[in-house]
Structure formats: structure tokens, C-alpha cells
Amino acid sequence: MAGVTADRARLAPVSLWRGLGSIRADRFAGWGRGVVAPAAGTVVAVHDGEPDRPAMSLLRDVPRVLLIGPLRAGRNLAAAAGNHVVLELSGGFVLLAHLRRGSAAVAAGDRVAPGDPLGEVGNSGNSLAPHLHVQAMTSADPFTASVLPWRVDRLERLDDGGWRPAAGPVPLRVPVRSP
């Protein structure tokens, strides 16, 4: 992406994030970036309509997200994941959560191919900062599903010149602890 500043290549501008003030969501590197299908599959659920938090504050939001949010959300997927898409893939399901309000580009029942647009990175649900939550699982219900291993074939890094292949090998195995 041409025109990406050094600050946008970070989670958020360091000097602001370390301060006690708030940071607008659009200052985060991921905000509004496209989210695409990671593999071929069928859309089994889409939720779009939860508000995005327009600004984050460390003092206000860390306790809210880590302590209060999970208690309030309970088993309410919209409260926990915000705007989201669930795909059924060969061998399992994947949840892509915290999408930007109004960005869903698919509907339940749609077939998707790798790279098809699904939405945009947002800050909806129980989220501390704009990011994409990706969860591979055994069923479409993340509250009852078991986590599945996820293989990443290629990593890219965002810098001032745009997206570039990440240096070094892609890890083939990541240790996963059983619950």
C-alpha cells in the first residue's frame, strides 16, 4: 500500500499509545484494511451491525476488555466477536471477528474462494484495538467448538513500501496447549 507511514506500519503511533490519552481507531495500522477468505468454503454465518469503538484509551479499555467484557458477553457471539463471518472449510470452520461495521461483503450461503473479500478490519465486539481475530475450530459455534491447528503458507509484513513477504521461514508447527 503506497503512502503507508511508519506510524501506520505499527499497531498505533507509539508516543500516543504510551500516553494516557485516547487514540482514534483510524490511527491503527489494521483499521479498514480488507479481510479476505483464507481458503475456499461456504459462508455459514454473517453478523454486521455492531458499532465500532471510534477511539481507545488504555485506562478505560484495558479493564473493560479483559475483565468486564467477557462477563457481559457470556455466550453472546455478537457481543464477544462483534461483526463477524463464519466459514465452513474443508475439515472445519473459521471465525473472522471484529470486522468494521457495515463492511460485510458476503451473506450466509455464499461460496467463497481464497482471496475473496469478506469485509474490513474493525474494532467491534470485545476488542481492545482494531485487529482481525481468526479462529479455526471444529464447529460453527466458537463457544462449544474445539480449536483446530491452522497452517500458514505465506506471511507478509507491512512497511512504507506496502506489503512484502516476511523474511525467514514460515513456521510449520506452532505448539498448542490442550485445555
PDB file of all heavy atoms in Angstrom, residues 129-158:
ATOM      1  N   ALA A 129      -8.328  -3.070  20.452  1.00  0.00           N
ATOM      2  CA  ALA A 129      -7.847  -2.216  19.367  1.00  0.00           C
ATOM      3  C   ALA A 129      -8.242  -2.871  18.047  1.00  0.00           C
ATOM      4  O   ALA A 129      -8.490  -4.075  17.999  1.00  0.00           O
ATOM      5  CB  ALA A 129      -6.331  -2.064  19.446  1.00  0.00           C
ATOM      6  N   PRO A 130      -8.306  -2.100  16.965  1.00  0.00           N
ATOM      7  CA  PRO A 130      -8.638  -2.703  15.672  1.00  0.00           C
ATOM      8  C   PRO A 130      -7.682  -3.845  15.328  1.00  0.00           C
ATOM      9  O   PRO A 130      -6.472  -3.691  15.375  1.00  0.00           O
ATOM     10  CB  PRO A 130      -8.476  -1.536  14.692  1.00  0.00           C
ATOM     11  CG  PRO A 130      -8.746  -0.332  15.521  1.00  0.00           C
ATOM     12  CD  PRO A 130      -8.136  -0.647  16.860  1.00  0.00           C
ATOM     13  N   HIS A 131      -8.268  -4.994  15.039  1.00  0.00           N
ATOM     14  CA  HIS A 131      -7.487  -6.176  14.652  1.00  0.00           C
ATOM     15  C   HIS A 131      -8.439  -7.213  14.078  1.00  0.00           C
ATOM     16  O   HIS A 131      -9.654  -7.070  14.183  1.00  0.00           O
ATOM     17  CB  HIS A 131      -6.740  -6.768  15.856  1.00  0.00           C
ATOM     18  CG  HIS A 131      -7.618  -7.465  16.851  1.00  0.00           C
ATOM     19  ND1 HIS A 131      -8.433  -6.788  17.738  1.00  0.00           N
ATOM     20  CD2 HIS A 131      -7.831  -8.787  17.083  1.00  0.00           C
ATOM     21  CE1 HIS A 131      -9.091  -7.663  18.478  1.00  0.00           C
ATOM     22  NE2 HIS A 131      -8.752  -8.890  18.093  1.00  0.00           N
ATOM     23  N   LEU A 132      -7.887  -8.244  13.482  1.00  0.00           N
ATOM     24  CA  LEU A 132      -8.674  -9.360  12.974  1.00  0.00           C
ATOM     25  C   LEU A 132      -8.415 -10.571  13.857  1.00  0.00           C
ATOM     26  O   LEU A 132      -7.278 -10.990  14.033  1.00  0.00           O
ATOM     27  CB  LEU A 132      -8.294  -9.691  11.527  1.00  0.00           C
ATOM     28  CG  LEU A 132      -9.023 -10.885  10.915  1.00  0.00           C
ATOM     29  CD1 LEU A 132     -10.520 -10.602  10.795  1.00  0.00           C
ATOM     30  CD2 LEU A 132      -8.425 -11.232   9.561  1.00  0.00           C
ATOM     31  N   HIS A 133      -9.471 -11.109  14.422  1.00  0.00           N
ATOM     32  CA  HIS A 133      -9.393 -12.341  15.220  1.00  0.00           C
ATOM     33  C   HIS A 133      -9.732 -13.491  14.284  1.00  0.00           C
ATOM     34  O   HIS A 133     -10.797 -13.492  13.673  1.00  0.00           O
ATOM     35  CB  HIS A 133     -10.404 -12.259  16.368  1.00  0.00           C
ATOM     36  CG  HIS A 133     -10.486 -13.494  17.195  1.00  0.00           C
ATOM     37  ND1 HIS A 133      -9.957 -13.569  18.455  1.00  0.00           N
ATOM     38  CD2 HIS A 133     -11.044 -14.708  16.955  1.00  0.00           C
ATOM     39  CE1 HIS A 133     -10.187 -14.778  18.951  1.00  0.00           C
ATOM     40  NE2 HIS A 133     -10.856 -15.486  18.056  1.00  0.00           N
ATOM     41  N   VAL A 134      -8.831 -14.453  14.146  1.00  0.00           N
ATOM     42  CA  VAL A 134      -9.047 -15.617  13.291  1.00  0.00           C
ATOM     43  C   VAL A 134      -8.999 -16.850  14.187  1.00  0.00           C
ATOM     44  O   VAL A 134      -8.022 -17.056  14.911  1.00  0.00           O
ATOM     45  CB  VAL A 134      -7.974 -15.728  12.189  1.00  0.00           C
ATOM     46  CG1 VAL A 134      -8.212 -16.953  11.330  1.00  0.00           C
ATOM     47  CG2 VAL A 134      -7.941 -14.461  11.347  1.00  0.00           C
ATOM     48  N   GLN A 135     -10.048 -17.660  14.116  1.00  0.00           N
ATOM     49  CA  GLN A 135     -10.131 -18.841  14.973  1.00  0.00           C
ATOM     50  C   GLN A 135     -10.578 -20.040  14.156  1.00  0.00           C
ATOM     51  O   GLN A 135     -11.703 -20.089  13.674  1.00  0.00           O
ATOM     52  CB  GLN A 135     -11.121 -18.574  16.104  1.00  0.00           C
ATOM     53  CG  GLN A 135     -11.283 -19.703  17.073  1.00  0.00           C
ATOM     54  CD  GLN A 135     -12.114 -19.284  18.270  1.00  0.00           C
ATOM     55  OE1 GLN A 135     -11.997 -18.160  18.755  1.00  0.00           O
ATOM     56  NE2 GLN A 135     -12.965 -20.176  18.751  1.00  0.00           N
ATOM     57  N   ALA A 136      -9.697 -21.020  13.991  1.00  0.00           N
ATOM     58  CA  ALA A 136     -10.038 -22.275  13.308  1.00  0.00           C
ATOM     59  C   ALA A 136     -10.623 -23.211  14.355  1.00  0.00           C
ATOM     60  O   ALA A 136     -10.078 -23.349  15.453  1.00  0.00           O
ATOM     61  CB  ALA A 136      -8.794 -22.890  12.676  1.00  0.00           C
ATOM     62  N   MET A 137     -11.759 -23.873  14.006  1.00  0.00           N
ATOM     63  CA  MET A 137     -12.484 -24.642  15.017  1.00  0.00           C
ATOM     64  C   MET A 137     -13.261 -25.802  14.402  1.00  0.00           C
ATOM     65  O   MET A 137     -13.428 -25.868  13.192  1.00  0.00           O
ATOM     66  CB  MET A 137     -13.401 -23.711  15.800  1.00  0.00           C
ATOM     67  CG  MET A 137     -14.309 -22.864  14.939  1.00  0.00           C
ATOM     68  SD  MET A 137     -14.956 -21.443  15.843  1.00  0.00           S
ATOM     69  CE  MET A 137     -15.947 -20.708  14.542  1.00  0.00           C
ATOM     70  N   THR A 138     -13.742 -26.688  15.261  1.00  0.00           N
ATOM     71  CA  THR A 138     -14.410 -27.911  14.812  1.00  0.00           C
ATOM     72  C   THR A 138     -15.878 -27.741  14.464  1.00  0.00           C
ATOM     73  O   THR A 138     -16.456 -28.613  13.822  1.00  0.00           O
ATOM     74  CB  THR A 138     -14.300 -29.013  15.884  1.00  0.00           C
ATOM     75  OG1 THR A 138     -14.858 -28.509  17.113  1.00  0.00           O
ATOM     76  CG2 THR A 138     -12.851 -29.430  16.092  1.00  0.00           C
ATOM     77  N   SER A 139     -16.520 -26.658  14.901  1.00  0.00           N
ATOM     78  CA  SER A 139     -17.925 -26.414  14.567  1.00  0.00           C
ATOM     79  C   SER A 139     -18.131 -24.920  14.389  1.00  0.00           C
ATOM     80  O   SER A 139     -17.239 -24.118  14.665  1.00  0.00           O
ATOM     81  CB  SER A 139     -18.860 -26.965  15.654  1.00  0.00           C
ATOM     82  OG  SER A 139     -18.863 -26.124  16.794  1.00  0.00           O
ATOM     83  N   ALA A 140     -19.315 -24.547  13.949  1.00  0.00           N
ATOM     84  CA  ALA A 140     -19.600 -23.137  13.693  1.00  0.00           C
ATOM     85  C   ALA A 140     -19.827 -22.334  14.975  1.00  0.00           C
ATOM     86  O   ALA A 140     -19.894 -21.111  14.924  1.00  0.00           O
ATOM     87  CB  ALA A 140     -20.827 -23.022  12.783  1.00  0.00           C
ATOM     88  N   ASP A 141     -19.938 -22.990  16.110  1.00  0.00           N
ATOM     89  CA  ASP A 141     -20.168 -22.314  17.391  1.00  0.00           C
ATOM     90  C   ASP A 141     -18.857 -22.221  18.165  1.00  0.00           C
ATOM     91  O   ASP A 141     -18.391 -23.213  18.732  1.00  0.00           O
ATOM     92  CB  ASP A 141     -21.204 -23.076  18.212  1.00  0.00           C
ATOM     93  CG  ASP A 141     -21.491 -22.425  19.559  1.00  0.00           C
ATOM     94  OD1 ASP A 141     -20.874 -21.377  19.883  1.00  0.00           O
ATOM     95  OD2 ASP A 141     -22.338 -22.960  20.300  1.00  0.00           O
ATOM     96  N   PRO A 142     -18.251 -21.034  18.210  1.00  0.00           N
ATOM     97  CA  PRO A 142     -16.950 -20.913  18.875  1.00  0.00           C
ATOM     98  C   PRO A 142     -17.001 -21.172  20.377  1.00  0.00           C
ATOM     99  O   PRO A 142     -15.975 -21.435  20.990  1.00  0.00           O
ATOM    100  CB  PRO A 142     -16.513 -19.476  18.574  1.00  0.00           C
ATOM    101  CG  PRO A 142     -17.748 -18.762  18.210  1.00  0.00           C
ATOM    102  CD  PRO A 142     -18.695 -19.764  17.642  1.00  0.00           C
ATOM    103  N   PHE A 143     -18.188 -21.141  20.976  1.00  0.00           N
ATOM    104  CA  PHE A 143     -18.292 -21.374  22.420  1.00  0.00           C
ATOM    105  C   PHE A 143     -18.253 -22.860  22.775  1.00  0.00           C
ATOM    106  O   PHE A 143     -17.943 -23.223  23.898  1.00  0.00           O
ATOM    107  CB  PHE A 143     -19.564 -20.731  22.974  1.00  0.00           C
ATOM    108  CG  PHE A 143     -19.557 -19.240  22.846  1.00  0.00           C
ATOM    109  CD1 PHE A 143     -20.435 -18.608  21.992  1.00  0.00           C
ATOM    110  CD2 PHE A 143     -18.663 -18.463  23.569  1.00  0.00           C
ATOM    111  CE1 PHE A 143     -20.438 -17.223  21.859  1.00  0.00           C
ATOM    112  CE2 PHE A 143     -18.648 -17.087  23.449  1.00  0.00           C
ATOM    113  CZ  PHE A 143     -19.529 -16.461  22.590  1.00  0.00           C
ATOM    114  N   THR A 144     -18.571 -23.731  21.809  1.00  0.00           N
ATOM    115  CA  THR A 144     -18.560 -25.165  22.081  1.00  0.00           C
ATOM    116  C   THR A 144     -17.522 -25.910  21.239  1.00  0.00           C
ATOM    117  O   THR A 144     -17.233 -27.067  21.520  1.00  0.00           O
ATOM    118  CB  THR A 144     -19.953 -25.781  21.816  1.00  0.00           C
ATOM    119  OG1 THR A 144     -20.305 -25.572  20.445  1.00  0.00           O
ATOM    120  CG2 THR A 144     -21.000 -25.150  22.726  1.00  0.00           C
ATOM    121  N   ALA A 145     -16.981 -25.261  20.230  1.00  0.00           N
ATOM    122  CA  ALA A 145     -16.021 -25.905  19.323  1.00  0.00           C
ATOM    123  C   ALA A 145     -14.663 -26.086  19.992  1.00  0.00           C
ATOM    124  O   ALA A 145     -14.304 -25.366  20.923  1.00  0.00           O
ATOM    125  CB  ALA A 145     -15.854 -25.051  18.068  1.00  0.00           C
ATOM    126  N   SER A 146     -13.924 -27.044  19.475  1.00  0.00           N
ATOM    127  CA  SER A 146     -12.521 -27.199  19.850  1.00  0.00           C
ATOM    128  C   SER A 146     -11.688 -26.443  18.818  1.00  0.00           C
ATOM    129  O   SER A 146     -12.081 -26.312  17.658  1.00  0.00           O
ATOM    130  CB  SER A 146     -12.117 -28.671  19.833  1.00  0.00           C
ATOM    131  OG  SER A 146     -12.821 -29.374  20.825  1.00  0.00           O
ATOM    132  N   VAL A 147     -10.527 -25.977  19.236  1.00  0.00           N
ATOM    133  CA  VAL A 147      -9.631 -25.257  18.350  1.00  0.00           C
ATOM    134  C   VAL A 147      -8.921 -26.253  17.437  1.00  0.00           C
ATOM    135  O   VAL A 147      -8.549 -27.345  17.864  1.00  0.00           O
ATOM    136  CB  VAL A 147      -8.599 -24.454  19.174  1.00  0.00           C
ATOM    137  CG1 VAL A 147      -7.564 -23.808  18.279  1.00  0.00           C
ATOM    138  CG2 VAL A 147      -9.300 -23.402  20.011  1.00  0.00           C
ATOM    139  N   LEU A 148      -8.766 -25.878  16.173  1.00  0.00           N
ATOM    140  CA  LEU A 148      -8.051 -26.699  15.206  1.00  0.00           C
ATOM    141  C   LEU A 148      -6.702 -26.076  14.879  1.00  0.00           C
ATOM    142  O   LEU A 148      -6.553 -24.846  14.930  1.00  0.00           O
ATOM    143  CB  LEU A 148      -8.854 -26.809  13.901  1.00  0.00           C
ATOM    144  CG  LEU A 148     -10.117 -27.647  13.939  1.00  0.00           C
ATOM    145  CD1 LEU A 148     -10.885 -27.505  12.626  1.00  0.00           C
ATOM    146  CD2 LEU A 148      -9.777 -29.103  14.196  1.00  0.00           C
ATOM    147  N   PRO A 149      -5.714 -26.885  14.511  1.00  0.00           N
ATOM    148  CA  PRO A 149      -4.441 -26.311  14.052  1.00  0.00           C
ATOM    149  C   PRO A 149      -4.674 -25.545  12.754  1.00  0.00           C
ATOM    150  O   PRO A 149      -5.579 -25.864  11.984  1.00  0.00           O
ATOM    151  CB  PRO A 149      -3.554 -27.530  13.818  1.00  0.00           C
ATOM    152  CG  PRO A 149      -4.412 -28.725  13.929  1.00  0.00           C
ATOM    153  CD  PRO A 149      -5.734 -28.328  14.481  1.00  0.00           C
ATOM    154  N   TRP A 150      -3.856 -24.557  12.529  1.00  0.00           N
ATOM    155  CA  TRP A 150      -4.007 -23.688  11.364  1.00  0.00           C
ATOM    156  C   TRP A 150      -2.653 -23.568  10.696  1.00  0.00           C
ATOM    157  O   TRP A 150      -1.681 -23.184  11.338  1.00  0.00           O
ATOM    158  CB  TRP A 150      -4.499 -22.323  11.825  1.00  0.00           C
ATOM    159  CG  TRP A 150      -4.810 -21.362  10.739  1.00  0.00           C
ATOM    160  CD1 TRP A 150      -3.979 -20.387  10.270  1.00  0.00           C
ATOM    161  CD2 TRP A 150      -6.018 -21.252  10.004  1.00  0.00           C
ATOM    162  NE1 TRP A 150      -4.615 -19.682   9.292  1.00  0.00           N
ATOM    163  CE2 TRP A 150      -5.872 -20.196   9.098  1.00  0.00           C
ATOM    164  CE3 TRP A 150      -7.211 -21.954  10.008  1.00  0.00           C
ATOM    165  CZ2 TRP A 150      -6.860 -19.810   8.221  1.00  0.00           C
ATOM    166  CZ3 TRP A 150      -8.202 -21.566   9.136  1.00  0.00           C
ATOM    167  CH2 TRP A 150      -8.026 -20.507   8.257  1.00  0.00           C
ATOM    168  N   ARG A 151      -2.579 -23.882   9.427  1.00  0.00           N
ATOM    169  CA  ARG A 151      -1.313 -23.791   8.700  1.00  0.00           C
ATOM    170  C   ARG A 151      -1.273 -22.495   7.906  1.00  0.00           C
ATOM    171  O   ARG A 151      -2.209 -22.162   7.179  1.00  0.00           O
ATOM    172  CB  ARG A 151      -1.160 -24.966   7.749  1.00  0.00           C
ATOM    173  CG  ARG A 151       0.151 -24.890   7.006  1.00  0.00           C
ATOM    174  CD  ARG A 151       0.350 -26.069   6.124  1.00  0.00           C
ATOM    175  NE  ARG A 151       1.421 -25.755   5.182  1.00  0.00           N
ATOM    176  CZ  ARG A 151       1.989 -26.640   4.437  1.00  0.00           C
ATOM    177  NH1 ARG A 151       1.612 -27.891   4.500  1.00  0.00           N
ATOM    178  NH2 ARG A 151       2.944 -26.295   3.615  1.00  0.00           N
ATOM    179  N   VAL A 152      -0.179 -21.782   8.029  1.00  0.00           N
ATOM    180  CA  VAL A 152       0.038 -20.534   7.301  1.00  0.00           C
ATOM    181  C   VAL A 152       1.094 -20.816   6.239  1.00  0.00           C
ATOM    182  O   VAL A 152       2.205 -21.236   6.557  1.00  0.00           O
ATOM    183  CB  VAL A 152       0.513 -19.409   8.250  1.00  0.00           C
ATOM    184  CG1 VAL A 152       0.839 -18.152   7.479  1.00  0.00           C
ATOM    185  CG2 VAL A 152      -0.538 -19.146   9.323  1.00  0.00           C
ATOM    186  N   ASP A 153       0.728 -20.621   4.981  1.00  0.00           N
ATOM    187  CA  ASP A 153       1.661 -20.899   3.884  1.00  0.00           C
ATOM    188  C   ASP A 153       2.545 -19.712   3.538  1.00  0.00           C
ATOM    189  O   ASP A 153       3.598 -19.870   2.945  1.00  0.00           O
ATOM    190  CB  ASP A 153       0.892 -21.314   2.627  1.00  0.00           C
ATOM    191  CG  ASP A 153       0.223 -22.664   2.789  1.00  0.00           C
ATOM    192  OD1 ASP A 153       0.817 -23.548   3.439  1.00  0.00           O
ATOM    193  OD2 ASP A 153      -0.883 -22.828   2.282  1.00  0.00           O
ATOM    194  N   ARG A 154       2.107 -18.496   3.864  1.00  0.00           N
ATOM    195  CA  ARG A 154       2.874 -17.309   3.485  1.00  0.00           C
ATOM    196  C   ARG A 154       2.584 -16.190   4.480  1.00  0.00           C
ATOM    197  O   ARG A 154       1.449 -15.994   4.875  1.00  0.00           O
ATOM    198  CB  ARG A 154       2.452 -16.860   2.085  1.00  0.00           C
ATOM    199  CG  ARG A 154       3.275 -15.708   1.557  1.00  0.00           C
ATOM    200  CD  ARG A 154       2.818 -15.293   0.172  1.00  0.00           C
ATOM    201  NE  ARG A 154       1.591 -14.519   0.305  1.00  0.00           N
ATOM    202  CZ  ARG A 154       0.552 -14.608  -0.523  1.00  0.00           C
ATOM    203  NH1 ARG A 154       0.581 -15.432  -1.538  1.00  0.00           N
ATOM    204  NH2 ARG A 154      -0.508 -13.873  -0.345  1.00  0.00           N
ATOM    205  N   LEU A 155       3.625 -15.476   4.884  1.00  0.00           N
ATOM    206  CA  LEU A 155       3.489 -14.322   5.761  1.00  0.00           C
ATOM    207  C   LEU A 155       3.946 -13.080   5.017  1.00  0.00           C
ATOM    208  O   LEU A 155       4.908 -13.127   4.252  1.00  0.00           O
ATOM    209  CB  LEU A 155       4.335 -14.490   7.027  1.00  0.00           C
ATOM    210  CG  LEU A 155       3.953 -15.616   7.967  1.00  0.00           C
ATOM    211  CD1 LEU A 155       4.985 -15.733   9.079  1.00  0.00           C
ATOM    212  CD2 LEU A 155       2.570 -15.393   8.547  1.00  0.00           C
ATOM    213  N   GLU A 156       3.253 -11.969   5.248  1.00  0.00           N
ATOM    214  CA  GLU A 156       3.655 -10.693   4.671  1.00  0.00           C
ATOM    215  C   GLU A 156       3.771  -9.662   5.779  1.00  0.00           C
ATOM    216  O   GLU A 156       3.139  -9.782   6.823  1.00  0.00           O
ATOM    217  CB  GLU A 156       2.632 -10.232   3.628  1.00  0.00           C
ATOM    218  CG  GLU A 156       2.566 -11.143   2.422  1.00  0.00           C
ATOM    219  CD  GLU A 156       1.543 -10.676   1.394  1.00  0.00           C
ATOM    220  OE1 GLU A 156       0.699  -9.818   1.717  1.00  0.00           O
ATOM    221  OE2 GLU A 156       1.590 -11.180   0.274  1.00  0.00           O
ATOM    222  N   ARG A 157       4.594  -8.662   5.539  1.00  0.00           N
ATOM    223  CA  ARG A 157       4.827  -7.592   6.517  1.00  0.00           C
ATOM    224  C   ARG A 157       4.522  -6.261   5.849  1.00  0.00           C
ATOM    225  O   ARG A 157       4.923  -6.022   4.703  1.00  0.00           O
ATOM    226  CB  ARG A 157       6.283  -7.649   6.972  1.00  0.00           C
ATOM    227  CG  ARG A 157       6.676  -6.569   7.915  1.00  0.00           C
ATOM    228  CD  ARG A 157       8.168  -6.678   8.227  1.00  0.00           C
ATOM    229  NE  ARG A 157       8.628  -5.507   8.892  1.00  0.00           N
ATOM    230  CZ  ARG A 157       8.646  -5.372  10.214  1.00  0.00           C
ATOM    231  NH1 ARG A 157       8.260  -6.355  10.980  1.00  0.00           N
ATOM    232  NH2 ARG A 157       9.083  -4.258  10.760  1.00  0.00           N
ATOM    233  N   LEU A 158       3.848  -5.379   6.572  1.00  0.00           N
ATOM    234  CA  LEU A 158       3.526  -4.053   6.061  1.00  0.00           C
ATOM    235  C   LEU A 158       4.649  -3.090   6.422  1.00  0.00           C
ATOM    236  O   LEU A 158       5.061  -3.000   7.574  1.00  0.00           O
ATOM    237  CB  LEU A 158       2.208  -3.564   6.676  1.00  0.00           C
ATOM    238  CG  LEU A 158       1.743  -2.174   6.280  1.00  0.00           C
ATOM    239  CD1 LEU A 158       1.422  -2.121   4.788  1.00  0.00           C
ATOM    240  CD2 LEU A 158       0.517  -1.778   7.092  1.00  0.00           C
TER     241      LEU A 158
END
